[in-house]
Amino acid sequence: MKTIIIIGGGIGGVVAANELQSHLSREHKIILIEKNEVHTFAPSYLWLMNGGRKKKQISVPIKSLLKKNIELVNAIVNEIIPGEKKVKAGGKEFYYDFLVVALGADLVPEKISGWDDSIHTFYTFEGAARLNETLKNFSGGKVALVISSMPYKCPGSPHEGAMLIEDFFTAKGLREKVEISLFTPETQPLPVAGPELGDAVRNMLEKKGIQFHPSMHLNSVDTKLKQLFFNGKDAYEYDLLVVIPPHQAPLVISKSDLANANGWIDVNPASLQTKFDNVFAIGDVTSIPLPGRWFPDKPMMLPKAGVFAHLQADVVAKNIAHKINGKKAIEKFCADGYCMLEAGGDLAGFAYGDFFGEPHPLVNLRKIGRKWHFGKVLFEKWWLSQVGLKKTIYKNLLLAGGKLVGIPVKL
Ligand SMILES: Cc1cc2nc3c(=O)[nH]c(=O)nc-3n(C[C@H](O)[C@H](O)[C@H](O)COP(=O)(O)OP(=O)(O)OC[C@H]3O[C@@H](n4cnc5c(N)ncnc54)[C@H](O)[C@@H]3O)c2cc1C
């Protein structure tokens, strides 16, 4: 009998637990340790922000996402001791044969000099809901959307956020009264996806009259004067400020033996194995350099995105199950990622490609259309529905849709 512990019950953790359950006999123990009882689906925060969803529609008990015979422990993991094959959570010790670390990334807005509660973000569930209220009461002025630092999750989201805010004010008949600007320390939109995709996204923003400001490194904010200060640039005045907060590795990781110098976890890019035997890390908590890519002089990293957490969870779970079942661990993670880029008006673009491709990823943006938006909605429905018949129906619809458009969807 083997015990597999998964820490973190977000996208990666849930997929890993369910996949393990499908491939292991019931004598083995699968334990998922997660601090929250309720799961909120982060890609839908954008629709919470623009009023397309209510809080209840995008939150479900984590238990409902898990297959039978997975033990869910609601507790905070406060220590990981790989040398002793042990984690501590909720005042208890848990011993494992295999460990999957899926603790995601923490948001640390307070790292922004001048941060206070008047600043908005749609990168959290509560933040997206609060921003919706503010947008509803906003009568016009300058909206500044600022990517405060790197890395940040889902490189498409800030651009989607800007386009959905634009769409919101257009629908309200206020577009003429609102100026929208997107600031980023990057040199182009989504540099990680290569120059062609960056140009395509910049085009999308420009067509909507959204001003794109690259190479802007946020220094500080003065919320009394409503001014933003970027390195070596004049102060920029705003009326409504929305930020993508700084991200950092969870402290329980950065203080553990798993962490690299920046606090994240280095893994083998194909197997997701850490430097410890039978300890794997997946999703946002990992740090995976992209072959031959630099920004500006540091290696570029695989984006922190649910699509990769999901694919990595699948690989790790299958390989652990192979090992337990006495077979060879043969699954390899290849960074074929996709993203439906919401553009407003029930339209979305679709980017798909190999992020390990050289000299830069072979990612391209398909023509904007309704089908990509509906694909995103369908994915949301599949993800949030309880394990059972309804989930299977959504899964089959997604697989069939993928075939129709020539994308090998993996769920
Ligand atoms: C607004 C927004 C839009 C996005 N849109 C997309 C998209 O369209 N496509 C896409 O691919 N990605 C998208 N993402 C990114 C995606 O949500 C993340 O990349 C993904 O959730 C990462 O999965 P993960 O399992 O690594 O981490 P998470 O899903 O963040 O899960 C980590 C889990 O660990 C738990 N945890 C943390 N610390 C502890 C602890 N000490 N003890 C116990 N539990 C703990 C957390 O509660 C959480 O449930 C979006 C993100 C945001 C914010």
Side-chain angles (χ1 to χ4, degrees), residues 135-147:
L135 290 178
K136 283 197 280 195
N137 296 318
F138 193 70
S139 54
K142 288 176 152 189
V143 179
L145 213 157
V146 182
I147 298 171

Side-chain angles (χ1 to χ4, degrees), residues 221-391:
V221 184
D222 185 328
T223 55
K224 300 260 165 353
L225 295 175
K226 294 197 166 182
Q227 286 183 336
L228 289 164
F229 299 93
F230 296 96
N231 266 3
K233 305 273 172 22
D234 291 342
Y236 179 89
E237 300 202 341
Y238 67 84
D239 296 295
L240 171 59
L241 176 58
V242 183
V243 302
I244 312 304
H247 289 40
Q248 75 179 19
L251 284 180
V252 66
I253 296 298
S254 38
K255 68 178 193 197
S256 79
D257 292 341
L258 288 165
N260 66 18
N262 298 316
W264 306 103
I265 306 181
D266 290 330
V267 288
N268 175 315
S271 69
L272 289 314
Q273 161 120 8
T274 66
K275 61 187 171 192
F276 293 95
D277 270 354
N278 296 337
V279 179
F280 301 85
I282 57 175
D284 291 355
V285 78
T286 62
S287 177
I288 303 180
L290 295 175
R293 317 274 321 282
W294 301 85
F295 176 81
D297 53 354
K298 289 186 194 148
M300 247 191 212
M301 297 294 161
L302 183 74
K304 298 191 183 302
V307 62
F308 294 127
H310 189 136
L311 293 172
Q312 292 168 351
D314 189 68
V315 166
V316 165
K318 284 187 177 131
N319 281 340
I320 292 175
H322 286 327
K323 247 177 143 173
I324 293 175
N325 294 331
K327 294 187 197 147
K328 231 178 143 191
I330 46 160
E331 302 291 329
K332 283 188 182 157
F333 169 64
C334 56
D336 282 354
Y338 60 84
C339 160
M340 288 83 134
L341 204 75
E342 284 287 286
D346 289 349
L347 296 169
F350 181 80
Y352 175 74
D354 171 15
F355 279 76
F356 284 164
E358 293 188 67
H360 55 74
L362 310 166
V363 180
N364 53 52
L365 191 66
R366 301 269 183 100
K367 203 168 156 239
I368 290 179
R370 266 174 206 274
K371 64 182 172 199
W372 307 122
H373 167 74
F374 288 122
K376 193 157 181 149
V377 173
L378 194 57
F379 190 93
E380 177 205 45
K381 300 259 172 278
W382 169 73
W383 180 265
L384 288 169
S385 53
Q386 194 174 339
V387 172
L389 181 65
K390 206 162 151 197
K391 200 170 190 97

Side-chain angles (χ1 to χ4, degrees), residues 29-49:
K29 214 170 178 184
I30 304 166
I31 302 173
L32 177 68
I33 310 180
E34 161 61 44
K35 64 181 174 185
N36 296 323
E37 283 180 29
V38 173
H39 171 85
T40 60
F41 188 53
S44 303
Y45 294 174
L46 286 157
W47 294 326
L48 191 58
M49 172 195 77

